[in-house]
Amino acid sequence: MSDEIGEKLVQALKMPDESASQESFARAMELTKAYASSGSATHFSAVARLFYDLFEMFETGKDPRQ
């Protein structure tokens, strides 16, 4: 499943007009920007991980932490 999410993310970046995942990408980006600008992020890898988890959550509708 993780490979499939990664492929959808790459497709959303390479072909934004043709990707069915564009809405998930935009929503994850918006929330990640808010988190990064809040000052709560203690390490840059936390921001990247949050974005990926949010994108996965919006794509699958499930909590990726479970």
Side-chain angles (χ1 to χ4, degrees), residues 5-45:
I5 296 299
E7 289 172 5
K8 287 182 178 185
L9 180 56
V10 169
Q11 183 181 11
L13 287 170
K14 285 186 173 183
M15 298 177 286
D17 296 334
E18 299 173 13
S19 175
S21 303
Q22 193 58 33
E23 184 177 345
S24 297
F25 180 84
R27 292 172 73 190
M29 182 62 75
E30 182 178 332
L31 290 173
T32 303
K33 281 185 192 178
Y35 172 70
S37 66
S38 73
S40 298
T42 57
H43 198 268
F44 69 92
S45 64

